[in-house]
Amino acid sequence: MTPHIRTAALALAVALTASACAKAEEPQSAPAAASTAGQQVVQSPSGSAGPTCTLQQFGGTTFDLKTATVGFSQSEKEANPFRIAETKSIKDEAAKLGITNLKVTNAQSQFSKQITDVQQLIAQGVRLLVIAPLNSDGWEPVLQQAAAKKIPIITVDRKINAKACSDYLTFIGSDFYEQGKRAADRMIDALAGKGKVAILLGAPGNNVTTERTNGFKDRVKDKAPEITISFEQTGEFAREKGQQVTEQLIQSNPDINGIYAENDEMALGAVTALKGAGKEPGDIKIVSVDGTRSAVQGIADGWLHAVIESNPRFGPLAFETAQKFLDGTPIPDKVVISDRDYDTSNAKDSLGEAY
């Protein structure tokens, strides 16, 4: 998507928000996005309905992004394609915009290190923070220090449990509850509304796991009462752990019909376990969330039934949002992006757009 189109999308979202009542609204269900050549697209109008924040309300002062020190805090080891693509997107967009002093840290999946990383970025004089939080809670020390210096914080991918426009500026990411519902729809279709399903849960302590789980369960309960969720265990969003849990699953629940993996890495670990157990493609239906190239290839190969995208390319939208904020434009407390689906009808043709 060109910068012009992306700018128009965000402008439309902001305009629609400005006319909405100040009371927060729950995002409504939205259809899956069509092909977007890998770029993030703001979901409108429900993707940004709710309160807004201006530079004046926040109490900050404007500055030049190109010359300011900007910090990006990555949460997890970059062995996961999502995190690799996310960090690359931030770095690439900063370079494209001429931001010359971008400082990037990686917490290596340790929350205490992420807190220290961000505190050090604040001490180094950052004017803007973009954070991919490992956990949703426990951010009070960082938020207090940033608020004292009026440093706007944009969180991407995961939310933090705090107050927008005072503790942080905005959240940019997917509707994770909706992702869970859409994954459930795919599983219901794959099993014709009947069977036993296992859930490979994501890492505990963040809103992504909670919302993807709740969306899936609520949809199954509502639309397919003859599907039983007979197994749940965390795979911690990791391929190796997903494989280990699936190996246990096959032993304890040999009659399982479907696996809902809350990210692609766990799904691919499950595939390895199924292959090791002598299963054939399609014997157990797998639905996952992310949209990595390996998972989309897994659909083409018959091992995965469907994948709900969660787009990690936050760089353009994060910096565009920051610039609009500095220019005085009201920014929504959440900017929800629209994600596509991958299935057998489009997997082969869409490999180039997966990450």
Side-chain angles (χ1 to χ4, degrees):
M1 183 169 63
T2 66
H4 174 74
I5 296 173
R6 191 170 57 247
T7 300
L10 183 61
L12 174 61
V14 170
L16 289 162
T17 301
S19 65
C21 62
K23 190 175 181 180
E25 299 175 10
E26 288 295 320
Q28 299 174 357
S29 296
S35 171
T36 57
Q39 297 301 314
Q40 291 182 339
V41 176
V42 176
Q43 184 188 110
S44 301
S46 60
S48 56
T52 60
C53 184
T54 64
L55 184 62
Q56 183 177 10
Q57 288 173 304
F58 184 75
T61 55
T62 192
F63 54 86
D64 186 353
L65 271 177
K66 291 183 178 180
T67 58
T69 302
V70 176
F72 172 59
S73 170
Q74 179 57 276
S75 57
E76 298 177 355
K77 300 174 183 177
E78 291 179 14
N80 183 328
F82 185 98
R83 298 301 170 190
I84 294 171
E86 185 175 55
T87 299
K88 183 178 186 299
S89 177
I90 295 290
K91 289 180 176 180
D92 287 354
E93 188 65 14
K96 178 182 175 182
L97 295 174
I99 297 172
T100 57
N101 198 4
L102 174 70
K103 295 183 179 295
V104 178
T105 63
N106 191 303
Q108 300 295 312
S109 304
Q110 301 172 43
F111 185 58
S112 60
K113 184 178 185 309
Q114 187 168 35
I115 294 296
T116 301
D117 285 348
V118 179
Q119 289 175 325
Q120 290 177 347
L121 288 172
I122 293 172
Q124 291 168 12
V126 296
R127 301 295 302 274
L128 169 71
L129 280 165
V130 180
I131 300 176
L134 182 64
N135 294 342
S136 295
D137 293 309
W139 284 94
E140 289 79 9
V142 163
L143 299 179
Q144 291 169 6
Q145 292 176 29
K149 295 188 175 184
K150 297 299 179 183
I151 301 170
I153 295 175
I154 295 174
T155 70
V156 295
D157 177 46
R158 297 177 183 174
K159 296 178 182 178
I160 57 175
N161 291 325
K163 186 177 180 181
C165 204
S166 57
D167 297 326
Y168 69 100
L169 172 59
T170 189
F171 158 77
I172 303 175
S174 300
D175 184 336
F176 306 113
Y177 183 82
E178 185 70 21
Q179 288 177 341
K181 286 171 60 180
R182 286 163 54 195
D185 287 339
R186 293 302 186 132
M187 185 64 74
I188 292 167
D189 176 67
L191 300 182
K194 298 179 181 180
K196 294 184 178 181
V197 173
I199 301 179
L200 301 185
L201 301 164
N206 65 80
N207 69 298
V208 178
T209 297
T210 300
E211 293 176 28
R212 284 180 184 169
T213 303
N214 291 342
F216 186 86
K217 287 183 173 180
D218 289 349
R219 191 67 155 192
V220 167
K221 182 179 179 181
D222 182 44
K223 298 293 184 182
E226 293 186 71
I227 288 181
T228 302
I229 298 172
S230 57
F231 180 97
E232 295 179 56
Q233 189 169 323
T234 181
E236 298 176 2
F237 287 136
R239 187 180 301 201
E240 182 178 346
K241 186 70 173 178
Q243 178 181 344
Q244 293 171 356
V245 173
T246 304
E247 288 169 347
Q248 297 168 15
L249 165 67
I250 295 167
Q251 294 297 319
S252 62
N253 293 263
D255 58 344
I256 202 75
N257 304 115
I259 295 174
Y260 166 45
E262 293 184 344
N263 84 335
D264 286 349
E265 285 295 283
M266 294 189 295
L268 294 169
V271 169
T272 301
L274 295 179
K275 289 179 179 179
K279 300 291 185 181
E280 295 294 327
D283 284 352
I284 295 177
K285 306 300 183 183
I286 301 176
V287 177
S288 68
V289 183
D290 263 355
T292 66
R293 190 163 300 178
S294 294
V296 177
Q297 182 64 55
I299 297 174
D301 294 340
W303 284 100
L304 272 66
H305 178 72
V307 173
I308 310 302
E309 182 190 49
S310 198
N311 194 325
R313 301 175 180 96
F314 289 100
L317 194 53
F319 286 120
E320 184 176 309
T321 300
Q323 187 60 62
K324 285 183 172 294
F325 173 70
L326 295 173
D327 291 342
T329 302
I331 300 301
D333 67 336
K334 56 180 177 294
V335 179
V336 180
I337 61 175
S338 183
D339 298 310
R340 63 179 296 181
D341 292 1
Y342 295 98
D343 57 25
T344 55
S345 71
N346 62 13
K348 289 182 181 180
D349 292 337
S350 301
L351 275 170
E353 296 177 14
Y355 55 90

PDB file of all heavy atoms in Angstrom, residues 119-148:
ATOM      1  N   GLN A 119      13.655   1.612  30.843  1.00  0.00           N
ATOM      2  CA  GLN A 119      14.154   2.623  31.774  1.00  0.00           C
ATOM      3  C   GLN A 119      15.477   3.208  31.286  1.00  0.00           C
ATOM      4  O   GLN A 119      15.718   4.416  31.422  1.00  0.00           O
ATOM      5  CB  GLN A 119      14.316   2.014  33.169  1.00  0.00           C
ATOM      6  CG  GLN A 119      12.987   1.729  33.857  1.00  0.00           C
ATOM      7  CD  GLN A 119      13.143   1.015  35.191  1.00  0.00           C
ATOM      8  OE1 GLN A 119      14.037   0.185  35.367  1.00  0.00           O
ATOM      9  NE2 GLN A 119      12.275   1.333  36.142  1.00  0.00           N
ATOM     10  N   GLN A 120      16.318   2.366  30.712  1.00  0.00           N
ATOM     11  CA  GLN A 120      17.589   2.855  30.163  1.00  0.00           C
ATOM     12  C   GLN A 120      17.364   3.738  28.943  1.00  0.00           C
ATOM     13  O   GLN A 120      18.073   4.743  28.763  1.00  0.00           O
ATOM     14  CB  GLN A 120      18.494   1.674  29.818  1.00  0.00           C
ATOM     15  CG  GLN A 120      19.023   0.943  31.044  1.00  0.00           C
ATOM     16  CD  GLN A 120      19.855  -0.281  30.692  1.00  0.00           C
ATOM     17  OE1 GLN A 120      19.862  -0.735  29.544  1.00  0.00           O
ATOM     18  NE2 GLN A 120      20.569  -0.819  31.680  1.00  0.00           N
ATOM     19  N   LEU A 121      16.385   3.386  28.126  1.00  0.00           N
ATOM     20  CA  LEU A 121      16.058   4.238  26.974  1.00  0.00           C
ATOM     21  C   LEU A 121      15.591   5.616  27.448  1.00  0.00           C
ATOM     22  O   LEU A 121      15.970   6.642  26.860  1.00  0.00           O
ATOM     23  CB  LEU A 121      14.966   3.577  26.132  1.00  0.00           C
ATOM     24  CG  LEU A 121      15.388   2.349  25.314  1.00  0.00           C
ATOM     25  CD1 LEU A 121      14.162   1.686  24.699  1.00  0.00           C
ATOM     26  CD2 LEU A 121      16.387   2.733  24.226  1.00  0.00           C
ATOM     27  N   ILE A 122      14.790   5.643  28.488  1.00  0.00           N
ATOM     28  CA  ILE A 122      14.332   6.928  29.045  1.00  0.00           C
ATOM     29  C   ILE A 122      15.525   7.735  29.549  1.00  0.00           C
ATOM     30  O   ILE A 122      15.628   8.947  29.308  1.00  0.00           O
ATOM     31  CB  ILE A 122      13.299   6.693  30.166  1.00  0.00           C
ATOM     32  CG1 ILE A 122      12.014   6.094  29.580  1.00  0.00           C
ATOM     33  CG2 ILE A 122      12.988   7.998  30.905  1.00  0.00           C
ATOM     34  CD1 ILE A 122      11.004   5.646  30.623  1.00  0.00           C
ATOM     35  N   ALA A 123      16.447   7.060  30.232  1.00  0.00           N
ATOM     36  CA  ALA A 123      17.629   7.737  30.759  1.00  0.00           C
ATOM     37  C   ALA A 123      18.511   8.282  29.637  1.00  0.00           C
ATOM     38  O   ALA A 123      19.232   9.275  29.829  1.00  0.00           O
ATOM     39  CB  ALA A 123      18.428   6.775  31.634  1.00  0.00           C
ATOM     40  N   GLN A 124      18.444   7.638  28.474  1.00  0.00           N
ATOM     41  CA  GLN A 124      19.235   8.080  27.321  1.00  0.00           C
ATOM     42  C   GLN A 124      18.576   9.212  26.544  1.00  0.00           C
ATOM     43  O   GLN A 124      19.109   9.669  25.532  1.00  0.00           O
ATOM     44  CB  GLN A 124      19.487   6.895  26.396  1.00  0.00           C
ATOM     45  CG  GLN A 124      20.431   5.852  26.989  1.00  0.00           C
ATOM     46  CD  GLN A 124      20.450   4.554  26.191  1.00  0.00           C
ATOM     47  OE1 GLN A 124      19.938   4.492  25.071  1.00  0.00           O
ATOM     48  NE2 GLN A 124      21.027   3.514  26.766  1.00  0.00           N
ATOM     49  N   GLY A 125      17.423   9.659  27.007  1.00  0.00           N
ATOM     50  CA  GLY A 125      16.805  10.849  26.433  1.00  0.00           C
ATOM     51  C   GLY A 125      15.860  10.621  25.271  1.00  0.00           C
ATOM     52  O   GLY A 125      15.678  11.522  24.439  1.00  0.00           O
ATOM     53  N   VAL A 126      15.227   9.459  25.178  1.00  0.00           N
ATOM     54  CA  VAL A 126      14.287   9.241  24.077  1.00  0.00           C
ATOM     55  C   VAL A 126      13.111  10.216  24.193  1.00  0.00           C
ATOM     56  O   VAL A 126      12.667  10.556  25.284  1.00  0.00           O
ATOM     57  CB  VAL A 126      13.765   7.787  24.040  1.00  0.00           C
ATOM     58  CG1 VAL A 126      14.886   6.812  23.768  1.00  0.00           C
ATOM     59  CG2 VAL A 126      13.024   7.429  25.326  1.00  0.00           C
ATOM     60  N   ARG A 127      12.610  10.638  23.055  1.00  0.00           N
ATOM     61  CA  ARG A 127      11.439  11.528  23.017  1.00  0.00           C
ATOM     62  C   ARG A 127      10.161  10.753  22.688  1.00  0.00           C
ATOM     63  O   ARG A 127       9.058  11.247  22.902  1.00  0.00           O
ATOM     64  CB  ARG A 127      11.654  12.630  21.969  1.00  0.00           C
ATOM     65  CG  ARG A 127      12.859  13.505  22.189  1.00  0.00           C
ATOM     66  CD  ARG A 127      12.758  14.344  23.472  1.00  0.00           C
ATOM     67  NE  ARG A 127      11.582  15.188  23.472  1.00  0.00           N
ATOM     68  CZ  ARG A 127      11.519  16.410  22.914  1.00  0.00           C
ATOM     69  NH1 ARG A 127      12.594  16.890  22.278  1.00  0.00           N
ATOM     70  NH2 ARG A 127      10.432  17.127  22.971  1.00  0.00           N
ATOM     71  N   LEU A 128      10.335   9.553  22.099  1.00  0.00           N
ATOM     72  CA  LEU A 128       9.208   8.692  21.730  1.00  0.00           C
ATOM     73  C   LEU A 128       9.599   7.255  22.021  1.00  0.00           C
ATOM     74  O   LEU A 128      10.725   6.840  21.742  1.00  0.00           O
ATOM     75  CB  LEU A 128       8.873   8.842  20.240  1.00  0.00           C
ATOM     76  CG  LEU A 128       7.897   7.818  19.645  1.00  0.00           C
ATOM     77  CD1 LEU A 128       6.470   8.053  20.170  1.00  0.00           C
ATOM     78  CD2 LEU A 128       7.916   7.869  18.117  1.00  0.00           C
ATOM     79  N   LEU A 129       8.644   6.488  22.578  1.00  0.00           N
ATOM     80  CA  LEU A 129       8.859   5.069  22.830  1.00  0.00           C
ATOM     81  C   LEU A 129       7.829   4.246  22.059  1.00  0.00           C
ATOM     82  O   LEU A 129       6.635   4.510  22.143  1.00  0.00           O
ATOM     83  CB  LEU A 129       8.729   4.751  24.323  1.00  0.00           C
ATOM     84  CG  LEU A 129       9.927   5.070  25.210  1.00  0.00           C
ATOM     85  CD1 LEU A 129       9.520   5.049  26.677  1.00  0.00           C
ATOM     86  CD2 LEU A 129      11.065   4.094  24.948  1.00  0.00           C
ATOM     87  N   VAL A 130       8.304   3.277  21.310  1.00  0.00           N
ATOM     88  CA  VAL A 130       7.443   2.262  20.710  1.00  0.00           C
ATOM     89  C   VAL A 130       7.784   0.954  21.417  1.00  0.00           C
ATOM     90  O   VAL A 130       8.940   0.534  21.427  1.00  0.00           O
ATOM     91  CB  VAL A 130       7.672   2.133  19.195  1.00  0.00           C
ATOM     92  CG1 VAL A 130       6.742   1.068  18.612  1.00  0.00           C
ATOM     93  CG2 VAL A 130       7.451   3.476  18.504  1.00  0.00           C
ATOM     94  N   ILE A 131       6.770   0.344  22.048  1.00  0.00           N
ATOM     95  CA  ILE A 131       7.013  -0.836  22.881  1.00  0.00           C
ATOM     96  C   ILE A 131       6.151  -1.995  22.407  1.00  0.00           C
ATOM     97  O   ILE A 131       4.942  -1.845  22.224  1.00  0.00           O
ATOM     98  CB  ILE A 131       6.704  -0.540  24.367  1.00  0.00           C
ATOM     99  CG1 ILE A 131       7.590   0.598  24.883  1.00  0.00           C
ATOM    100  CG2 ILE A 131       6.885  -1.787  25.221  1.00  0.00           C
ATOM    101  CD1 ILE A 131       7.262   1.016  26.317  1.00  0.00           C
ATOM    102  N   ALA A 132       6.794  -3.158  22.214  1.00  0.00           N
ATOM    103  CA  ALA A 132       6.080  -4.415  21.999  1.00  0.00           C
ATOM    104  C   ALA A 132       6.109  -5.152  23.342  1.00  0.00           C
ATOM    105  O   ALA A 132       7.091  -5.842  23.635  1.00  0.00           O
ATOM    106  CB  ALA A 132       6.765  -5.241  20.910  1.00  0.00           C
ATOM    107  N   PRO A 133       5.092  -5.016  24.175  1.00  0.00           N
ATOM    108  CA  PRO A 133       5.177  -5.504  25.559  1.00  0.00           C
ATOM    109  C   PRO A 133       5.179  -7.034  25.635  1.00  0.00           C
ATOM    110  O   PRO A 133       4.439  -7.700  24.913  1.00  0.00           O
ATOM    111  CB  PRO A 133       3.908  -4.949  26.216  1.00  0.00           C
ATOM    112  CG  PRO A 133       3.338  -3.942  25.255  1.00  0.00           C
ATOM    113  CD  PRO A 133       3.801  -4.374  23.897  1.00  0.00           C
ATOM    114  N   LEU A 134       5.990  -7.565  26.537  1.00  0.00           N
ATOM    115  CA  LEU A 134       5.962  -8.998  26.795  1.00  0.00           C
ATOM    116  C   LEU A 134       4.723  -9.348  27.598  1.00  0.00           C
ATOM    117  O   LEU A 134       3.999 -10.287  27.272  1.00  0.00           O
ATOM    118  CB  LEU A 134       7.224  -9.432  27.547  1.00  0.00           C
ATOM    119  CG  LEU A 134       7.340 -10.927  27.834  1.00  0.00           C
ATOM    120  CD1 LEU A 134       7.443 -11.729  26.535  1.00  0.00           C
ATOM    121  CD2 LEU A 134       8.554 -11.207  28.724  1.00  0.00           C
ATOM    122  N   ASN A 135       4.465  -8.578  28.663  1.00  0.00           N
ATOM    123  CA  ASN A 135       3.291  -8.768  29.521  1.00  0.00           C
ATOM    124  C   ASN A 135       2.422  -7.523  29.491  1.00  0.00           C
ATOM    125  O   ASN A 135       2.885  -6.429  29.156  1.00  0.00           O
ATOM    126  CB  ASN A 135       3.707  -9.057  30.965  1.00  0.00           C
ATOM    127  CG  ASN A 135       4.425 -10.384  31.121  1.00  0.00           C
ATOM    128  OD1 ASN A 135       4.335 -11.244  30.252  1.00  0.00           O
ATOM    129  ND2 ASN A 135       5.154 -10.544  32.214  1.00  0.00           N
ATOM    130  N   SER A 136       1.178  -7.683  29.904  1.00  0.00           N
ATOM    131  CA  SER A 136       0.254  -6.548  29.923  1.00  0.00           C
ATOM    132  C   SER A 136       0.296  -5.789  31.244  1.00  0.00           C
ATOM    133  O   SER A 136      -0.060  -4.615  31.303  1.00  0.00           O
ATOM    134  CB  SER A 136      -1.180  -7.038  29.657  1.00  0.00           C
ATOM    135  OG  SER A 136      -1.285  -7.568  28.357  1.00  0.00           O
ATOM    136  N   ASP A 137       0.718  -6.438  32.321  1.00  0.00           N
ATOM    137  CA  ASP A 137       0.776  -5.814  33.648  1.00  0.00           C
ATOM    138  C   ASP A 137       2.222  -5.613  34.080  1.00  0.00           C
ATOM    139  O   ASP A 137       3.153  -6.193  33.507  1.00  0.00           O
ATOM    140  CB  ASP A 137       0.047  -6.683  34.675  1.00  0.00           C
ATOM    141  CG  ASP A 137      -1.445  -6.758  34.431  1.00  0.00           C
ATOM    142  OD1 ASP A 137      -2.074  -5.686  34.274  1.00  0.00           O
ATOM    143  OD2 ASP A 137      -1.992  -7.870  34.394  1.00  0.00           O
ATOM    144  N   GLY A 138       2.394  -4.787  35.124  1.00  0.00           N
ATOM    145  CA  GLY A 138       3.711  -4.599  35.718  1.00  0.00           C
ATOM    146  C   GLY A 138       4.518  -3.463  35.148  1.00  0.00           C
ATOM    147  O   GLY A 138       5.734  -3.360  35.388  1.00  0.00           O
ATOM    148  N   TRP A 139       3.865  -2.567  34.401  1.00  0.00           N
ATOM    149  CA  TRP A 139       4.574  -1.489  33.725  1.00  0.00           C
ATOM    150  C   TRP A 139       4.644  -0.180  34.521  1.00  0.00           C
ATOM    151  O   TRP A 139       5.171   0.826  34.024  1.00  0.00           O
ATOM    152  CB  TRP A 139       3.912  -1.218  32.370  1.00  0.00           C
ATOM    153  CG  TRP A 139       4.254  -2.251  31.361  1.00  0.00           C
ATOM    154  CD1 TRP A 139       3.555  -3.376  31.041  1.00  0.00           C
ATOM    155  CD2 TRP A 139       5.429  -2.274  30.549  1.00  0.00           C
ATOM    156  NE1 TRP A 139       4.203  -4.103  30.074  1.00  0.00           N
ATOM    157  CE2 TRP A 139       5.347  -3.450  29.752  1.00  0.00           C
ATOM    158  CE3 TRP A 139       6.532  -1.429  30.399  1.00  0.00           C
ATOM    159  CZ2 TRP A 139       6.351  -3.787  28.835  1.00  0.00           C
ATOM    160  CZ3 TRP A 139       7.516  -1.758  29.494  1.00  0.00           C
ATOM    161  CH2 TRP A 139       7.415  -2.922  28.722  1.00  0.00           C
ATOM    162  N   GLU A 140       4.144  -0.165  35.748  1.00  0.00           N
ATOM    163  CA  GLU A 140       4.028   1.084  36.509  1.00  0.00           C
ATOM    164  C   GLU A 140       5.342   1.866  36.620  1.00  0.00           C
ATOM    165  O   GLU A 140       5.335   3.105  36.425  1.00  0.00           O
ATOM    166  CB  GLU A 140       3.450   0.801  37.902  1.00  0.00           C
ATOM    167  CG  GLU A 140       1.980   0.419  37.904  1.00  0.00           C
ATOM    168  CD  GLU A 140       1.738  -1.040  37.515  1.00  0.00           C
ATOM    169  OE1 GLU A 140       2.735  -1.809  37.414  1.00  0.00           O
ATOM    170  OE2 GLU A 140       0.569  -1.415  37.315  1.00  0.00           O
ATOM    171  N   PRO A 141       6.485   1.231  36.940  1.00  0.00           N
ATOM    172  CA  PRO A 141       7.720   2.028  37.055  1.00  0.00           C
ATOM    173  C   PRO A 141       8.071   2.769  35.771  1.00  0.00           C
ATOM    174  O   PRO A 141       8.459   3.946  35.807  1.00  0.00           O
ATOM    175  CB  PRO A 141       8.785   0.966  37.392  1.00  0.00           C
ATOM    176  CG  PRO A 141       8.029  -0.160  37.995  1.00  0.00           C
ATOM    177  CD  PRO A 141       6.713  -0.192  37.264  1.00  0.00           C
ATOM    178  N   VAL A 142       7.921   2.096  34.651  1.00  0.00           N
ATOM    179  CA  VAL A 142       8.226   2.710  33.357  1.00  0.00           C
ATOM    180  C   VAL A 142       7.242   3.829  33.045  1.00  0.00           C
ATOM    181  O   VAL A 142       7.636   4.927  32.618  1.00  0.00           O
ATOM    182  CB  VAL A 142       8.193   1.651  32.244  1.00  0.00           C
ATOM    183  CG1 VAL A 142       8.096   2.305  30.863  1.00  0.00           C
ATOM    184  CG2 VAL A 142       9.421   0.766  32.310  1.00  0.00           C
ATOM    185  N   LEU A 143       5.966   3.561  33.250  1.00  0.00           N
ATOM    186  CA  LEU A 143       4.941   4.549  32.916  1.00  0.00           C
ATOM    187  C   LEU A 143       5.106   5.820  33.734  1.00  0.00           C
ATOM    188  O   LEU A 143       4.921   6.934  33.217  1.00  0.00           O
ATOM    189  CB  LEU A 143       3.550   3.942  33.137  1.00  0.00           C
ATOM    190  CG  LEU A 143       3.215   2.709  32.286  1.00  0.00           C
ATOM    191  CD1 LEU A 143       1.826   2.187  32.626  1.00  0.00           C
ATOM    192  CD2 LEU A 143       3.321   3.019  30.804  1.00  0.00           C
ATOM    193  N   GLN A 144       5.462   5.675  35.002  1.00  0.00           N
ATOM    194  CA  GLN A 144       5.661   6.848  35.853  1.00  0.00           C
ATOM    195  C   GLN A 144       6.838   7.692  35.372  1.00  0.00           C
ATOM    196  O   GLN A 144       6.751   8.928  35.314  1.00  0.00           O
ATOM    197  CB  GLN A 144       5.870   6.409  37.301  1.00  0.00           C
ATOM    198  CG  GLN A 144       4.630   5.833  37.961  1.00  0.00           C
ATOM    199  CD  GLN A 144       4.920   5.164  39.295  1.00  0.00           C
ATOM    200  OE1 GLN A 144       6.040   5.217  39.802  1.00  0.00           O
ATOM    201  NE2 GLN A 144       3.915   4.518  39.873  1.00  0.00           N
ATOM    202  N   GLN A 145       7.927   7.026  35.004  1.00  0.00           N
ATOM    203  CA  GLN A 145       9.098   7.756  34.531  1.00  0.00           C
ATOM    204  C   GLN A 145       8.835   8.442  33.194  1.00  0.00           C
ATOM    205  O   GLN A 145       9.248   9.586  32.979  1.00  0.00           O
ATOM    206  CB  GLN A 145      10.286   6.801  34.404  1.00  0.00           C
ATOM    207  CG  GLN A 145      10.811   6.284  35.736  1.00  0.00           C
ATOM    208  CD  GLN A 145      11.921   5.275  35.570  1.00  0.00           C
ATOM    209  OE1 GLN A 145      12.673   5.319  34.595  1.00  0.00           O
ATOM    210  NE2 GLN A 145      12.035   4.348  36.510  1.00  0.00           N
ATOM    211  N   ALA A 146       8.149   7.752  32.306  1.00  0.00           N
ATOM    212  CA  ALA A 146       7.839   8.340  31.000  1.00  0.00           C
ATOM    213  C   ALA A 146       6.870   9.505  31.141  1.00  0.00           C
ATOM    214  O   ALA A 146       7.032  10.545  30.476  1.00  0.00           O
ATOM    215  CB  ALA A 146       7.255   7.275  30.077  1.00  0.00           C
ATOM    216  N   ALA A 147       5.867   9.356  32.012  1.00  0.00           N
ATOM    217  CA  ALA A 147       4.878  10.424  32.209  1.00  0.00           C
ATOM    218  C   ALA A 147       5.524  11.679  32.782  1.00  0.00           C
ATOM    219  O   ALA A 147       5.166  12.805  32.422  1.00  0.00           O
ATOM    220  CB  ALA A 147       3.758   9.938  33.127  1.00  0.00           C
ATOM    221  N   ALA A 148       6.489  11.487  33.654  1.00  0.00           N
ATOM    222  CA  ALA A 148       7.161  12.636  34.259  1.00  0.00           C
ATOM    223  C   ALA A 148       7.908  13.458  33.221  1.00  0.00           C
ATOM    224  O   ALA A 148       8.056  14.673  33.361  1.00  0.00           O
ATOM    225  CB  ALA A 148       8.117  12.159  35.348  1.00  0.00           C
TER     226      ALA A 148
END
